[in-house]
Amino acid sequence: MRGFHLFALSSSVPLLASAQCPDYLDYAGEVHEPLSPGKYKLSYQRPPIECRTFKSQDLEDTITRMESVIKDPDLYRLFSNAYPNTLDTAIKWKGYAADNAEEELTFIITGDINAMWLRDSSNQMQSYLPLLDANSEPNSIASLYRGVINLQARYLLTSPYCNSFQPPAESNIPIAENPSASEDNVFPVYSNASVFECKYELDSLAAFLEVSANYYDATGDLDFFGKFKWVQAVEAILQVALDMMTPTYGDDGAVLKSPYTFSRLTRRATETLANDGLGNPTGNGTGLIRSAFRPSDDSTIFQLYIPANMMFSTYLASTAKIMGKLNAPNAASLASRMKSLSESLQDAIEAYGTFTHPTYGKIYAFEVDGFGGATIMDDANIPSLLSAPFLGYPVDRQTYKNTRALILGASNPYFMRGPVINAVGGPHQGPGMAWPMASIVRILTTDNDDEIKVQLGELLSSTAGLGLIHESVDSFNVTHWTRQWFSWANGLFGQMVLDLEERKPGILETSFQ
Ligand SMILES: *[C@@H]1O[C@H](CO)[C@@H](O)[C@H](O)[C@H]1NC(C)=O
Ligand SMILES: *[C@@H]1O[C@H](CO)[C@@H](O)[C@H](O)[C@H]1NC(C)=O
Ligand SMILES: *[C@@H]1O[C@H](CO)[C@@H](O)[C@H](O)[C@H]1NC(C)=O
């Protein structure tokens, strides 16, 4: 199931798995020479050229250019392993829709799991935003983006409450078994022929808007959005958003039917919802949208998950601009609904998504329930509170500053400290496990040079010599980590280094030896 295959890039039919190509799941957990010449002696981790899943000359040129920009040899090795990871390993299939020979489709796996997450695939593409420009060729980064947007639109029109999906039928890739989901009790029902897992997460919907806005802003390719199913997919998203504003009780106290319920047979509390699939009760009148699960795929404690509301608000505003320029009969009214929902969400976040903390003052809450209850913490996965400015959400500066002070220290129940790495973690891997992704986001959201250098140093020294960004690392034991093949986090590391090149080039001259 987790085989590492070689695919033809220009045809819609995958080649047979090559016996010469290693399974990247094994490859990423092993050390390959030549090691980097610095004190960390980092492994080389790119698969052999003939085994890479997508080739881009712009990518290779970027990696070559950075060799003279990044002065530390270990940091350069980490960058050159990590940045290409999605293109090298995760473009599982690229082709065209069976019913429309012009409709590009791109199936991107998350890495070690053979399925496409809406959130991961949008973010996996986001790392290549610096390389994206208008290009109609099928071997271009732009083509990959179009394929992701089209396939996500198809997924959203099929099962708008789900988070992770199976390969498209056109790919002839067998669907992946998901034993943990096989006894899930989910409403609305879905088919496992197209869905890998059906956890409703507001940020998955926002991820579709994000990849759409990123593509449009970089290419100006308006025509694309009118050609296929983009408008209908946005309508489906707006319907879910509206439905998921339903509170638990009506005005008369009657329990309202929830548009989504989920329960699973499991030993982990975070893998199922309270109240037999309803989740904890949500009050009326906040104007916020519920999310059953977090971007970690763990259940929310309180459903009004603030970071996803921030992200959804941001990208509704940017995609409303695309919608407003389209000629579809309902485009103008959809654009105005998107814009007004974006604005009302921002008001709702500022009015109901904050909390006055006895030590830190006014902060953003992680989750609220609309009854006065709030979860005070942050989790590493994006969208997080830490990432709010990176998402483009117009934070209240003082509130964000206070929030940041809380979440980057012992007052955050999921901030991990220790000799190996100090970073936000989360319930997904539990106490003790810090997430490098959160260190990356910390760099992306600060101007403080010393803070950036400390984070870079910890990222560099905590790969256990493997030279890839792991999902989580034990803050007391560098050889104890999770997920050797987590494509998104690797791409994000590269994106952060390229951002530093623009913003603070001097830092890339630092020696970490
Ligand atoms: C899909 O669901 C059917 C019916 O529940 C089940 O028999 C089958 O094994 C499932 N397939 C996969 C790949 O999980
Ligand atoms: C929620 O509150 C609004 C007023 O804030 C009211 O108009 C609406 O009927 C309420 N909805 C439910 C389901 O109670
Ligand atoms: C560190 O983690 C490794 C890998 O999980 C484990 O084998 C080792 O026992 C751990 N070391 C300590 C001191 O706990």
Side-chain angles (χ1 to χ4, degrees):
M1 292 311 303
R2 290 171 165 184
F4 185 70
H5 302 274
L6 172 64
F7 297 110
L9 301 177
S10 53
S11 108
S12 58
V13 181
L15 300 178
L16 290 177
S18 159
Q20 310 305 317
C21 287
D23 183 334
Y24 197 72
L25 201 56
D26 298 330
Y27 190 85
E30 295 158 356
V31 170
H32 311 278
E33 304 214 318
L35 306 182
S36 63
K39 74 170 175 183
Y40 294 112
K41 299 185 173 25
L42 300 182
S43 170
Y44 178 78
Q45 289 292 12
R46 297 190 70 183
I49 293 175
E50 63 279 12
C51 300
R52 296 177 189 165
T53 56
F54 189 85
K55 297 188 182 99
S56 157
Q57 192 54 48
D58 290 345
L59 171 77
E60 300 308 326
D61 292 348
T62 301
I63 294 172
T64 306
R65 174 171 58 77
M66 294 306 282
E67 188 166 11
S68 59
V69 174
I70 303 173
K71 293 293 178 322
D72 186 277
D74 295 325
L75 185 61
Y76 178 65
R77 172 59 61 84
L78 186 53
F79 172 80
S80 50
N81 285 338
Y83 190 50
N85 194 261
T86 288
L87 296 188
D88 279 356
T89 71
I91 310 298
K92 193 90 187 182
W93 179 81
K94 188 174 177 307
Y96 296 89
D99 59 356
N100 185 341
E102 280 183 31
E103 185 180 338
E104 292 157 292
L105 298 175
T106 310
F107 181 66
I108 300 191
I109 57 169
T110 172
D112 51 8
I113 305 169
N114 223 344
M116 176 157 152
W117 264 253
L118 296 176
R119 166 182 49 256
D120 286 54
S121 57
S122 290
N123 286 296
Q124 282 167 292
M125 289 317 300
Q126 192 185 61
S127 20
Y128 304 114
L129 205 45
L131 310 180
L132 174 63
D133 53 16
N135 190 328
S136 57
E137 298 298 315
N139 60 354
S140 61
I141 302 279
S143 162
L144 284 181
Y145 263 87
R146 288 188 293 270
V148 168
I149 296 168
N150 286 333
L151 186 55
Q152 288 196 359
R154 176 192 288 188
Y155 290 149
L156 286 163
L157 287 167
T158 312
S159 298
Y161 284 92
C162 301
N163 60 321
S164 166
F165 294 85
Q166 298 284 3
E170 290 91 337
S171 69
N172 292 318
I173 299 173
I175 64 167
E177 302 276 343
N178 188 355
S180 36
S182 63
E183 293 190 73
D184 288 355
N185 195 347
V186 185
F187 176 80
V189 293
Y190 62 87
S191 159
N192 66 4
S194 52
V195 170
F196 180 77
E197 183 172 67
C198 196
K199 289 176 170 172
Y200 161 63
E201 301 165 353
L202 177 60
D203 79 282
S204 291
L205 306 183
F208 174 73
L209 303 179
E210 171 192 62
V211 69
S212 302
N214 285 348
Y215 177 76
Y216 178 71
D217 291 346
T219 65
D221 182 6
L222 187 63
D223 277 359
F224 166 73
F225 292 92
K227 267 192 199 160
F228 307 109
K229 302 183 192 79
W230 190 77
V231 175
Q232 295 98 300
V234 172
E235 273 186 288
I237 286 176
L238 287 175
Q239 190 60 51
V240 173
L242 191 67
D243 289 346
M244 290 311 293
M245 291 167 94
T246 308
T248 302
Y249 305 102
D251 283 336
D252 60 355
V255 177
L256 301 175
K257 181 168 172 56
S258 177
Y260 173 83
T261 57
F262 178 105
S263 65
R264 170 173 289 183
L265 282 172
T266 174
R267 284 197 175 84
R268 290 171 63 96
T270 49
E271 288 291 322
T272 190
L273 300 182
N275 292 315
D276 297 320
L278 275 180
N280 287 314
T282 305
N284 185 32
T286 63
L288 293 164
I289 303 168
R290 288 161 51 189
S291 191
F293 290 86
R294 298 171 178 170
S296 56
D297 298 336
D298 298 334
S299 51
T300 50
I301 294 172
F302 297 132
Q303 298 186 53
L304 303 173
Y305 180 64
I306 300 304
N309 275 275
M310 289 171 163
M311 181 180 180
F312 195 63
S313 168
T314 302
Y315 288 110
L316 269 178
S318 31
T319 47
K321 291 183 193 141
I322 306 174
M323 190 66 87
K325 293 184 183 132
L326 295 177
N327 289 323
N330 52 350
S333 75
L334 283 170
S336 88
R337 277 175 62 198
M338 292 161 80
K339 185 162 176 288
S340 83
L341 181 56
S342 167
E343 289 164 1
S344 69
L345 281 174
Q346 194 189 329
D347 292 344
I349 290 162
E350 300 303 322
Y352 298 100
T354 61
F355 178 85
T356 303
H357 189 279
T359 310
Y360 295 89
K362 188 175 177 191
I363 57 169
Y364 286 111
F366 188 61
E367 298 165 347
V368 298
D369 65 356
F371 292 104
T375 319
I376 303 307
M377 59 173 273
D378 202 24
D379 183 307
N381 279 270
I382 308 173
S384 57
L385 290 176
L386 187 63
S387 69
F390 172 66
L391 301 171
Y393 179 76
V395 291
D396 177 84
R397 280 177 157 226
Q398 188 60 45
T399 310
Y400 178 74
K401 191 167 173 242
N402 297 345
T403 310
R404 189 176 174 98
L406 182 151
I407 61 192
L408 295 178
S411 298
N412 172 3
Y414 288 99
F415 186 78
M416 307 310 154
R417 291 166 292 153
V420 173
I421 178 170
N422 293 268
V424 180
H428 198 69
Q429 294 299 348
M433 302 304 283
W435 286 49
M437 173 180 275
S439 307
I440 298 170
V441 170
R442 185 168 180 177
I443 294 173
L444 283 163
T445 52
T446 185
D447 261 336
N448 182 319
D449 291 14
D450 294 334
E451 188 179 6
I452 294 174
K453 284 182 202 167
V454 170
Q455 302 311 304
L456 277 177
E458 289 190 357
L459 284 164
L460 197 55
S461 61
S462 63
T463 78
L466 290 166
L468 286 170
I469 301 297
H470 294 137
E471 176 192 48
S472 73
V473 179
D474 186 329
S475 62
F476 281 86
N477 179 355
V478 72
T479 59
H480 179 209
W481 46 263
T482 59
R483 290 189 77 180
Q484 62 271 48
W485 184 12
F486 182 22
S487 180
W488 168 22
N490 282 286
L492 186 69
F493 178 84
Q495 186 182 344
M496 173 274 288
V497 170
L498 293 177
D499 178 61
L500 285 180
E501 186 196 15
E502 290 276 306
R503 211 159 54 91
K504 290 184 172 287
I507 286 189
L508 297 180
E509 290 169 16
T510 309
S511 166
F512 295 94
Q513 300 303 309

